[in-house]
Amino acid sequence: MKGLELSEKYYQAYGEPMIREKFPELSKRIAAGLVGDGSDCFGFDDEISRDHDWGPGFCLWLTAEDFCGIGPALADEMSKLPQTFSGYGPRICSQWGNGRVGIFEINAFYGKFIGSKSVPTDLEEWLLIPESSLAACTNGRVFRDPWGEFSEWRSRLLQFYPEDVRLKKMASRCMTIGQSGQYNLERCLRRGDRFAAQYAETKFCADAMSLLFLLNRTYTPFFKWIHRSVNDLPGKGTWFHSRISDLISSHDHGEKRVLVQLICDALVAELRRQGLSNSDSRLLIDHGPIVQSKISDPGLRARNVWVG
């Protein structure tokens, strides 16, 4: 059983009845689900995942007022729930995995990921937030949210970056993809510099997938889940997943060069399809400045195209 399914069934069996019985007056103000860090929240958990921070558990999200009022009592009742369920558990928390399930104040929960207790209001705030943090606080599943405050946060963040921020990030990715994959990878391979070649290939793959996420207006997750998540992107997600797999599996320098260019050609085609570049160049580095030129904010548009 996947962690998300286990969490929801555990909540329905024990969490919901507990809330209904012990806190009936607030049952319509408590949101429940499983969102945040962890493979289970992305649906990528497997047998290897179950050695830590996995098992029966769920999140309850409260407004600041309710958290101060009933938070301790709710946490106490939650601690009394069975530690095992459907043959799974008890949940083993690692040193850094505490706080993935339990009682949370809504603003503080999101603040842990984005560094602010409100949705970003300007471009600078958006640029400072790691993409993986935005992916983590908008993943998983909300089982119930009758009050709607938790889901309001979630909905606003899932609207994705302001367009100027998306453009800035895409412009930067174009530059680093071209530099690492179309320029430096082959040079490093010819020199026999294995470390530099491996780094260039990894940088190319990571940034190419990051650009694909940006083109699809989807936050790039933590590095362990980037490649797996690409497979779920619409359009050519599956194709990109396969080409990246082919690239990292190949030991033939010529084949690597061909695969890098195939991936770049597909990215260029999508940039052109979205009207973000009108260049016919097959070099991503030629498209970065064109993408950046479409930024509306003059200050952001004037920044170094490599930085994003």
Side-chain angles (χ1 to χ4, degrees):
M1 187 185 303
K2 288 286 191 177
L4 274 174
E5 181 184 2
L6 176 65
S7 176
E8 186 165 11
K9 289 184 174 180
Y10 179 66
Y11 166 75
Q12 291 171 345
Y14 294 110
E16 193 167 27
M18 178 269 290
I19 294 171
R20 195 166 52 242
E21 177 185 346
K22 302 290 185 178
F23 307 93
E25 72 285 0
L26 290 175
S27 63
K28 293 184 178 181
R29 295 169 61 89
I30 299 174
L34 185 66
V35 175
D37 294 315
S39 57
D40 49 352
C41 295
F42 286 100
F44 294 145
D45 49 311
D46 52 25
E47 291 186 3
I48 297 175
S49 309
R50 297 175 184 174
D51 64 338
H52 68 92
D53 305 315
W54 190 96
F58 51 83
C59 303
L60 295 179
W61 297 288
L62 287 69
T63 65
E65 179 183 355
D66 291 340
F67 185 82
C68 291
I70 68 161
L74 187 57
D76 182 60
E77 291 297 331
M78 197 168 175
S79 69
K80 298 175 184 177
L81 299 181
Q83 299 300 297
T84 60
F85 179 72
S86 291
Y88 298 101
R91 188 180 182 95
I92 300 173
C93 292
S94 66
Q95 179 182 2
W96 303 107
N98 290 323
R100 293 190 179 184
V101 296
I103 315 297
F104 303 94
E105 191 270 309
I106 294 170
N107 293 336
F109 176 84
Y110 282 106
K112 179 181 71 172
F113 291 97
I114 70 171
S116 172
K117 292 188 177 181
S118 62
V119 176
T121 57
D122 61 46
L123 302 181
E124 293 299 330
E125 289 182 58
W126 278 105
L127 285 166
L128 288 173
I129 305 172
E131 293 179 45
S132 60
S133 295
L134 288 163
C137 68
T138 55
N139 67 11
R141 189 181 304 162
V142 179
F143 307 151
R144 71 186 302 271
D145 186 11
W147 194 249
E149 185 170 324
F150 182 84
S151 296
E152 173 64 18
W153 260 91
R154 184 178 177 89
S155 176
R156 291 172 69 186
L157 291 175
L158 284 172
Q159 291 174 19
F160 206 58
Y161 293 115
E163 183 63 2
D164 276 358
V165 173
R166 186 177 83 107
L167 290 168
K168 185 69 193 78
K169 287 178 173 288
M170 287 193 293
S172 171
R173 298 299 181 276
C174 287
M175 306 304 287
T176 55
I177 291 167
Q179 181 191 53
S180 59
Q182 292 179 298
Y183 180 74
N184 277 320
L185 176 56
E186 185 174 2
R187 294 168 70 88
C188 294
L189 288 171
R190 285 166 53 194
R191 288 193 179 105
D193 190 335
R194 293 185 178 182
F195 171 79
Q198 182 65 68
Y199 187 91
E201 182 177 291
T202 301
K203 176 68 171 172
F204 168 79
C205 292
D207 287 354
M209 289 187 285
S210 173
L211 178 55
L212 188 63
F213 276 98
L214 289 162
L215 285 164
N216 281 276
R217 291 180 169 81
T218 302
Y219 297 121
T220 306
F222 182 58
F223 79 91
K224 283 202 298 184
W225 316 124
I226 295 177
H227 189 222
R228 292 185 65 171
S229 296
V230 161
N231 206 36
D232 297 328
L233 291 176
K236 301 195 72 172
T238 300
W239 183 90
F240 270 90
H241 182 274
S242 297
R243 297 296 79 73
I244 295 292
S245 295
D246 293 340
L247 175 59
I248 62 178
S249 300
S250 176
H251 298 287
D252 182 270
H253 295 183
E255 183 181 17
K256 283 183 180 293
R257 181 172 62 253
V258 170
L259 287 165
V260 164
Q261 192 57 57
L262 280 174
I263 292 168
C264 290
D265 286 344
L267 291 170
V268 167
E270 183 60 22
L271 287 169
R272 289 175 56 83
R273 190 190 72 80
Q274 292 191 23
L276 300 174
S277 178
N278 56 5
S279 172
D280 293 325
S281 174
R282 299 180 73 191
L283 300 176
L284 261 297
I285 204 166
D286 291 335
H287 294 268
I290 299 173
V291 174
Q292 178 134 329
S293 71
K294 297 185 179 297
I295 295 174
S296 299
D297 183 84
L300 191 58
R301 188 173 61 248
R303 292 188 186 180
N304 188 336
V305 68
W306 291 86
V307 180

